[in-house]
Amino acid sequence: MKITVSTLIAAPIAAVWRAYTTPADIKQWNAASADWHTTAAAVDLRVGGKFSSRMEARDGSFGFDFEGEYTRVDAPHSLEYRFGERHASVDFSQTPVGVKVTVTVTPAGVCEKSTTALRSPKRYSSR
């Protein structure tokens, strides 16, 4: 099944795009929970470009790398990437109250069913 997650961010689309695609910003927000953090991130934002990040438990007990390759980049509206045999698309849609970010992941060898979750709006302060 495809997995789709959406969130609404109360910020201009340019700021949301930058936060999603800039290594320094990724390190600020990319964490599974408060006891995890992203210690490294790299982005070559072009078709065929690679991205990677390193997430670790704050106590140093565990960590893992996440990496892939961009297959489509349409700044600041959408991007697609593959990681392993999986594929993901990310859409950035301007709404009257902010930017809706929708991430859809297609695991290898699955059907077309979709699951959606919409969280409450988040604020992002641009620099």
Side-chain angles (χ1 to χ4, degrees):
M1 107 172 62
K2 286 187 177 185
I3 301 166
T4 301
V5 178
S6 297
T7 192
L8 188 61
I9 302 170
I13 197 165
V16 175
W17 178 266
R18 184 180 64 242
Y20 204 92
T21 60
T22 303
D25 288 324
I26 292 167
K27 288 170 58 177
Q28 296 299 311
W29 64 262
N30 187 37
S33 63
D35 54 343
W36 285 80
H37 62 147
T38 296
T39 59
V43 174
D44 181 6
L45 191 59
R46 62 184 173 85
V47 172
K50 308 282 186 190
F51 67 87
S52 64
S53 61
R54 172 83 183 160
M55 190 177 294
E56 297 181 357
R58 289 191 185 272
D59 67 5
S61 63
F62 189 77
F64 63 92
D65 296 314
F66 178 73
E67 57 188 21
E69 179 180 331
Y70 294 107
T71 58
R72 182 171 179 269
V73 177
D74 179 20
H77 306 289
S78 65
L79 57 85
E80 296 179 9
Y81 57 90
R82 76 174 145 253
F83 53 113
E85 295 182 25
R86 296 159 292 191
H87 177 265
S89 63
V90 185
D91 293 305
F92 301 80
S93 303
Q94 188 68 60
T95 75
V97 295
V99 177
K100 181 180 179 184
V101 180
T102 303
V103 180
T104 302
V105 177
T106 306
V110 298
C111 66
E112 297 293 316
K113 189 175 178 183
S114 180
T115 306
T116 303
L118 181 61
R119 292 185 254 161
S120 61
K122 294 183 180 179
R123 287 211 160 294
Y124 178 82
S125 67
S126 59
R127 293 181 242 173

